[in-house]
């Protein structure tokens, strides 16, 4: 069975400081992992994805995530937050078995303080 | 190419009425998902179609909710006897076949308001 846990429902950081959004997963197989972003009143947008290639994945808008199998984690980071990063972020696990559904985390709302 | 489309974009209905929401996935995508997102909340999984397999209906909140997917393409989500708590944005997503990297492509959603 697959599962994904986003450890923080809300994260607040000051503009210009680093961002860390935590995600842990559980999977019987080596999954594909994704981060999606949803800005207020906007649709969901793919931020980045991991598919068993390089463990450090770079995405759009300066975000990156590192797949750590030993820790079953896929945390999202950005060196310096910008006001436009304020949004909801979702960690997603996509199992290798295509009959298993893709699973969304409950989301982390990122607040950027001026 | 064309993305996932949903119609209508907005639907206002009266409590007790039935509504149908439509999703046109990306051509060739074998998997189709319906989610519900209430105001300020995360995504709530509703139902999952994969090819010709029996759908995973485990997320449907009550028997008032049903969905079908005709010909492995277009899907319709039906809500019978709508209640005010059904008000939400209903999102559809599709994903391509294959074992790796099955990212989801989302439609713009249908905003349902039940008065």
């Amino acid at each position: 069975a697959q599962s994904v846990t986003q450890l923080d429902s809300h994260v607040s950081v000051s503009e210009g400081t680093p961002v860390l959004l935590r995600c842990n997963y559980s999977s019987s197989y080596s999954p594909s992992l994704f981060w999606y972003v949803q800005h207020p009143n906007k649709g969901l947008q793919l931020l980045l994805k991991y598919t068993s290639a390089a463990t450090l994945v770079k995405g759009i808008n300066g975000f990156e995530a590192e797949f750590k199998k030993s820790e079953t984690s896929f945390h999202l980071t950005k060196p310096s937050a910008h006001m436009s990063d304020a949004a909801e972020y979702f960690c997603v696990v996509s199992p290798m078995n295509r009959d298993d559904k893709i699973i969304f985390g409950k989301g982390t709302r990122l607040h950027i303080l001026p | 190419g064309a993305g996932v489309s949903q119609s209508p974009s907005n639907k206002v209905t009266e409590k007790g009425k039935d509504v149908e929401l439509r999703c046109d996935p990306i051509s060739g995508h074998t998997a189709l998902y319906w989610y519900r997102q209430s105001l300020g909340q995360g995504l709530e999984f509703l139902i999952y179609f994969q090819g010709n397999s029996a759908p995973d209906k485990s997320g449907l909140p009550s028997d008032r909710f049903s969905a079908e997917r005709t010909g492995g393409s277009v899907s319709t989500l039906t809500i019978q006897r709508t209640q005010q708590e059904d008000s939400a944005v209903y999102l559809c997503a599709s994903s391509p076949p294959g074992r790796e990297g099955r990212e989801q492509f989302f439609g713009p959603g249908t905003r349902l308001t039940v008065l």
Side-chain angles (χ1 to χ4, degrees):
Chain A
Q2 330 291 325
S3 68
V4 60
T5 303
Q6 291 184 243
L7 296 157
D8 307 293
S9 58
H10 292 264
V11 169
S12 295
V13 301
S14 297
E15 191 175 20
T17 64
V19 175
L20 170 64
L21 305 183
R22 297 182 293 165
C23 173
N24 285 94
Y25 71 92
S26 171
S27 177
S28 304
Y29 310 95
S30 295
S32 295
L33 294 158
F34 307 84
W35 278 96
Y36 285 82
V37 60
Q38 186 178 34
H39 287 91
N41 299 313
K42 299 287 188 185
L44 280 143
Q45 180 183 16
L46 180 67
L47 202 55
L48 52 79
K49 67 178 181 181
Y50 164 77
T51 56
S52 76
T55 57
L56 183 61
V57 181
K58 294 186 184 301
I60 61 173
N61 301 334
F63 283 94
E64 60 182 39
E66 186 172 7
F67 174 73
K68 292 187 177 181
K69 187 174 181 179
S70 60
E71 299 176 10
T72 61
S73 69
F74 190 58
H75 300 336
L76 182 70
T77 60
K78 183 174 180 177
S80 177
H82 191 272
M83 293 301 290
S84 61
D85 295 328
E88 185 94 18
Y89 292 80
F90 296 95
C91 183
V92 179
V93 60
S94 174
M96 291 293 283
N97 182 347
R98 66 177 182 180
D99 290 327
D100 289 334
K101 63 182 180 283
I102 295 171
I103 297 174
F104 267 71
K106 294 187 181 300
T108 298
R109 185 167 295 277
L110 178 63
H111 304 272
I112 310 296
L113 307 173
Chain B
V4 177
S5 61
Q6 292 185 246
S7 61
S9 55
N10 277 284
K11 176 72 177 178
V12 180
T13 190
E14 293 179 347
K15 178 181 173 181
K17 302 277 189 179
D18 298 352
V19 295
E20 284 191 352
L21 313 179
R22 178 186 168 106
C23 172
D24 283 84
I26 294 172
S27 178
H29 281 195
T30 54
L32 187 148
Y33 298 76
W34 282 99
Y35 296 91
R36 176 168 72 175
Q37 188 172 33
S38 301
L39 187 63
Q41 302 298 310
L43 270 67
E44 177 187 4
F45 164 76
L46 297 177
I47 189 168
Y48 164 55
F49 297 89
Q50 172 60 274
N52 296 320
S53 302
D56 178 346
K57 304 179 181 180
S58 60
L60 294 178
S62 77
D63 60 7
R64 296 187 296 105
F65 288 72
S66 63
E68 62 177 22
R69 188 180 184 191
T70 53
S73 180
V74 172
S75 177
T76 303
L77 177 69
T78 300
I79 309 173
Q80 296 178 307
R81 305 180 303 281
T82 52
Q83 304 294 313
Q84 287 183 331
E85 61 261 29
D86 300 334
S87 296
V89 175
Y90 288 81
L91 292 167
C92 174
S94 68
S95 61
R99 292 174 61 80
E100 280 200 353
R102 289 190 295 128
E103 70 181 270
Q104 290 177 302
F105 295 79
F106 282 83
T110 293
R111 182 176 298 278
L112 174 66
T113 304
V114 182
L115 302 177

